[in-house]
Structure formats: C-alpha cells, structure tokens
Amino acid sequence: MLAAAGSARAVVEIGTGTGVSGLWLLRGMRADGILTTIDVETEHQRIARRIFQEAGFASGRTRIITGRALDVLPRLADGVYDLIFVDSEVAEYSACVEAATRLLRPGGVLALHGALAAGRIGDPAARDVETVTVREVAKAIRESEDWIPALLPTGEGLLVAVKR
C-alpha cells in the first residue's frame, strides 16, 4: 500500500528475509520500479529470488545485495529512493534512519517494522535493550524537523515517516 500510494519506482528493503515483504513491495511499485533488497543471509536471498520469480517478477525488477545494511547503504545514491522499508536488527534502526535521511527524496517514505516492540512499547517498566532502542528511534524521528511521522498499530507496529 505504501509503495502504491507513493507510486514508488525505487525502493530499498533492509532485511530481505525470505522475500515476503519484498513481494508486497513489488506488487505496490510501478511496473518499471526496482526493489533493492539487502540481507546478510544468502539462503534467505536465494529463497526470495525464487519467490519473486514464481510471482512473475522479472529478475531485472530486483537488485539483491548480500551484506550488512550498514556497509551497503553508504554506497547507494543520495536522494533517489521513494520508500525505504526497514525490517532488520533493531540495534541498527538509528543508523538506518540516518541513512534514509540521505537516501530518500523529499516526500519519500521511511517505514520501520516492529515499532510496538512486541507490545512492550507502552509499558514504562519495559527497559530491555530492544524496547528502549525502539523508543529512542521513535522519539528522534518525532522530534526531528526532517520527518512527518505516524505510528500505525498494525501487526508488530509500523512507524512510518515522510521526509520533508
């Protein structure tokens, strides 16, 4: 839906997994769009590549990069992406937001999966590293002049923000 709403042509997915979210992103993107998906697990990417192909997406619609997102993101072009979807290690979320600020065009959308921290986000007693990290990232986005954010309480929570 986010890819379709913005008529996304250039999308980055951080955390390929087995291709489920990538498939949804591709379905919402323009027909000439390219999904760049990054993951450290080559086996996940092998499965994702097969799923994309079985769904009828040409191999030229995806750019599958094996590596740590924090090593790959600095090599991507500034200001050309329409959407960045982050579903990786929560410890990397802050760095991914920083990279998204550079990579997204004005009006581009950042989406962070797991923003409800498995239901712990609203519990002030929850002080585990993951919950605290999600809170800090959400606060930084909310207080930044670079973003117009919203928290969507669907599934595990989706923090979305439009780049100003």
Side-chain angles (χ1 to χ4, degrees):
M1 187 274 302
L2 292 174
S7 191
R9 183 168 184 252
V11 174
V12 174
E13 176 187 38
I14 301 169
T16 307
T18 56
V20 175
S21 55
L23 193 57
W24 285 103
L25 290 166
L26 283 163
R27 286 181 175 153
M29 293 170 64
R30 293 174 24 174
D32 62 343
I34 296 175
L35 171 67
T36 299
T37 183
I38 306 163
D39 204 303
V40 295
E41 297 291 333
T42 56
E43 180 62 16
H44 286 170
Q45 291 180 324
R46 187 187 63 74
I47 293 167
R49 186 175 280 112
R50 188 186 80 234
I51 286 173
F52 299 155
Q53 183 181 27
E54 288 174 0
F57 292 102
S59 62
R61 292 283 316 275
T62 58
R63 182 168 65 153
I64 300 173
I65 302 172
T66 303
R68 288 185 59 245
L70 301 184
D71 295 331
V72 174
L73 293 172
R75 299 191 317 248
L76 299 181
D78 293 358
V80 299
Y81 292 94
D82 303 305
L83 172 65
I84 296 177
F85 175 64
V86 182
D87 186 9
S88 64
E89 297 296 322
V90 171
E92 296 181 350
Y93 275 21
S94 182
C96 289
V97 171
E98 186 177 319
T101 304
R102 179 182 61 79
L103 296 171
L104 285 168
R105 64 167 174 74
V109 174
L110 168 66
L112 298 168
H113 178 262
L116 294 177
R120 298 181 309 274
I121 201 74
D123 178 2
R127 304 295 304 155
D128 59 282
V129 173
E130 184 172 304
T131 303
V132 170
T133 301
V134 170
R135 282 186 190 128
E136 289 171 353
V137 169
K139 181 180 179 188
I141 290 172
R142 186 178 64 245
E143 293 177 351
S144 172
E145 293 295 319
D146 295 327
W147 302 104
I148 302 168
L151 176 61
L152 305 179
T154 181
E156 295 180 42
L158 192 64
L159 177 59
V160 295
V162 175
K163 183 180 174 189
R164 290 185 191 266

